[in-house]
Amino acid sequence: MTEPDHISPGLARGFCAVIRRDIVLAWKRPGDVVNPLFFFAMVSSLFPLAIGPGADELALTGPGVVWVAALLAALLSLNSLFLSDFEDGSLDQLLLSPQPLPLLALGKALAHWLISGLPLVVVSPLVAISFQMPAQTINVMLITLTFGTLSLSLLGSIGAALTVGLHRGAALLSLLILPLAMPILIFGARTVALAAADDAVSAGIYFLAAYCMLALTFAPFATAAALRISNE
Amino acid sequence: MWKFIHKLASPPHFYRFSAKIIPWFAGVGSILVIYGTYAGLFLAPSDYQQGDAFRIIYVHVPAAYLSMMAYSIMAVSAAIGLIWRIKLSHAVAAAAAPLGAWFTFLALVTGSVWGKPMWGTWWEWGDPRLTSELLMLFLYIGYMALRAAIDDTVKADKASAVLALVGAVNVPIIHFSVEWWSSLHQGPTIIREGGPAMPVEMLYPLLAMILGFTFIFGALLLGRVRTEVLFRERRARWVRELVLTGAGPG
């Protein structure tokens, strides 16, 4: 069955429209994009100040610190994933649109990654250099962070959808998402640590990639179900 | 069989039926736990390696097993409630969460009490089972926090059901990722090829404790579901009749 174009836009157009809209919104309010990045940089710099400036300590803690900071920064930005849409009513329009909701939820999650995850991956080498990571370790960190932040955006969109209409949603979101995000943290941080010790890293990278594929496949459906429940 | 299950899904029928079976569960469970405690403490020989410290497994293993069991019950009933819209199964999921969290906590405490004389530390991050049990506790806490944050019962049921299912998909992944670390914990001893690596004087009390804990868990769960059902159906006529006459629905 084919529908004329002017009645409802195609799947691809709806999907792209969601992503484009979020990117334009972020472009108009650069603070929303930049603040989590500053948060990431500041949390990372807390650790050398707390633990000590020695090169050995930095080399030992670096991979873990970068990953914990990235996880917290992702959580910080996830809270607002559906919040402004919920407040101005455009979330209702998404729910009512003729496009399948999981597709739109996937669009929202990908837009979130483009706005918060990708910039974080881009600035992470700066933090890594301050922790005196060698270049080859930084490469592994970039790969794991790319898969990891994308998985976090997808996983976090489920939590954000579940908590969207609730008071004190931010703390609740962390409670819901952090235990689920542990595998990403474990594999991400351990793989970078293995790379720093010149060990084999492919297993960790494969795992993160597989987790990312799993999240890409299932998370949009869970997010869509959660959005319908939160807004009924 | 199907008719029985259909009838059981109706709250008044469940309320009557559970009143009959709770004493049986509690009774059988108590007998098994009393036997298991006595036999575990007095009849079972000391372990040649661990001395008497091994005896904590008679609480630790059943608690750890029930922490998983309760999560499965929670996730399966959440799925049933979400798919077939059976109100009673949401009540079961809501009632199972605090019990599961409690058994998880018990498993963690007994595990670390055992760890102190055996490993020399209360807590060992390198041990995958301790760590994944801790994450299990966090999952329960998240589930209960979400449920507590939503005032509307129907909405809380559905939202927490989605979370329970997402968690259920993640539990094996979490276990696997935690196992990836090197392990200090001893390998499985009950279920393995070539029979149990444990003399029967040690094994029977353990089996009795596992079974007894399960029965007591069943009795506690049913009791919690009963109060949950009463609260949820507080405006229904059968509850009013029950309260006014003091008798069950006819």
Side-chain angles (χ1 to χ4, degrees):
Chain A
M1 212 170 84
T2 52
E3 276 187 83
D5 230 36
H6 58 273
I7 292 184
S8 90
L11 292 182
R13 270 182 67 194
F15 180 69
C16 293
V18 169
I19 295 182
R20 195 184 314 127
R21 173 171 170 275
D22 275 14
I23 291 177
V24 169
L25 278 176
W27 191 256
K28 302 278 179 197
R29 274 183 311 193
D32 290 2
V33 180
V34 177
N35 286 350
L37 295 181
F38 283 133
F39 178 82
F40 173 64
M42 285 178 193
V43 169
S44 312
S45 63
L46 289 181
F47 285 86
L49 294 176
I51 295 171
D56 293 347
E57 290 152 346
L58 289 183
L60 209 59
T61 52
V65 168
V66 171
W67 260 94
V68 169
L71 183 62
L72 293 178
L75 272 179
L76 193 71
S77 58
L78 271 170
N79 190 39
S80 56
L81 178 55
F82 294 111
L83 195 62
S84 67
D85 289 354
F86 176 73
E87 280 165 350
D88 66 13
S90 41
L91 191 57
D92 293 326
Q93 297 301 320
L94 281 185
L95 289 168
L96 291 172
S97 78
Q99 318 292 345
L101 191 56
L103 188 78
L104 302 182
L106 179 64
K108 289 290 289 186
L110 285 182
H112 175 266
W113 181 71
L114 289 173
I115 294 163
S116 74
L118 193 58
L120 196 142
V121 174
V122 171
V123 301
S124 64
L126 290 179
V127 175
I129 288 170
S130 80
F131 277 88
Q132 308 181 359
M133 269 189 213
Q136 155 227 357
T137 313
I138 292 181
N139 286 339
V140 173
M141 185 196 71
L142 285 176
I143 296 171
T144 58
L145 271 182
T146 307
F147 285 126
T149 49
L150 185 53
S151 310
L152 278 175
S153 290
L154 289 158
L155 191 67
S157 68
I158 305 174
L162 283 173
T163 55
V164 66
L166 302 176
H167 304 293
R168 299 180 301 276
L172 186 60
L173 178 66
S174 316
L175 280 186
L176 302 189
I177 293 305
L178 278 178
L180 299 176
M182 288 304 171
I184 306 174
L185 178 73
I186 291 174
F187 275 88
R190 296 298 296 168
T191 304
V192 181
L194 285 179
D198 277 332
D199 242 323
V201 292
S202 51
I205 293 174
Y206 285 146
F207 175 87
L208 284 171
Y211 192 94
C212 192
M213 292 306 124
L214 187 76
L216 267 174
T217 317
F218 288 115
F221 293 95
T223 307
L227 279 177
R228 291 223 189 275
I229 291 164
S230 303
N231 289 281
E232 62 187 17
Chain B
M1 181 66 187
W2 281 113
K3 201 180 160 197
F4 174 74
I5 291 175
H6 275 290
K7 257 175 100 178
L8 199 58
S10 107
H13 187 82
F14 167 81
Y15 194 80
R16 256 178 306 157
F17 179 73
S18 60
K20 281 182 217 148
I21 58 169
I22 284 178
W24 287 100
F25 274 34
V28 173
S30 305
I31 292 169
L32 284 168
V33 166
I34 289 168
Y35 160 73
T37 310
Y38 175 74
L41 289 182
F42 298 107
L43 301 184
S46 300
D47 188 78
Y48 76 99
Q49 245 180 345
Q50 304 182 0
D52 281 329
F54 91 93
R55 294 182 197 275
I56 204 159
I57 62 161
Y58 293 119
V59 180
H60 178 70
V61 171
Y65 145 76
L66 278 175
S67 71
M68 312 280 165
M69 181 78 171
Y71 201 91
S72 330
I73 290 178
M74 191 175 97
V76 169
S77 14
I80 293 174
L82 210 56
I83 296 167
W84 288 289
R85 294 168 194 255
I86 295 170
K87 281 189 282 177
L88 186 68
S89 60
H90 281 308
V92 172
L99 281 177
W102 173 246
F103 280 111
T104 311
F105 179 70
L106 194 64
L108 280 173
V109 170
T110 52
S112 83
V113 167
W114 179 84
K116 182 64 185 166
M118 288 303 123
W119 299 334
T121 57
W122 292 107
W123 188 261
E124 176 52 58
W125 278 109
D127 177 58
R129 283 184 235 179
L130 271 183
T131 312
S132 54
E133 197 70 7
L134 181 69
L135 295 182
M136 195 79 174
L137 183 64
F138 290 165
L139 283 179
Y140 277 119
I141 289 173
Y143 177 88
M144 292 191 286
L146 180 64
R147 201 171 252 292
I150 308 176
D151 294 327
D152 179 20
T153 313
V154 177
K155 207 164 144 180
D157 281 343
K158 289 185 184 170
S160 55
V162 170
L163 184 67
L165 291 178
V166 173
V169 173
N170 269 276
V171 163
I173 301 176
I174 292 175
H175 279 284
F176 170 71
S177 64
V178 173
E179 291 248 327
W180 195 53
W181 295 352
S182 61
S183 167
L184 272 179
H185 208 291
Q186 57 174 344
T189 39
I190 298 186
I191 302 165
R192 62 177 215 177
E193 282 179 66
M198 208 187 236
V200 284
E201 299 86 24
M202 282 186 191
L203 179 67
Y204 284 160
L206 181 59
L207 294 179
M209 287 300 257
I210 291 177
L211 211 58
F213 264 59
T214 311
F215 272 108
I216 287 179
F217 169 78
L220 290 172
L221 180 65
L222 287 175
R224 289 189 64 92
V225 177
R226 274 163 70 83
T227 51
E228 190 77 34
V229 163
L230 268 193
F231 179 72
R232 286 166 181 234
E233 301 272 310
R234 59 193 180 278
R235 301 196 210 293
R237 194 200 284 163
W238 70 268
V239 175
R240 191 173 307 152
E241 281 169 4
L242 183 81
V243 172
L244 289 180
T245 62

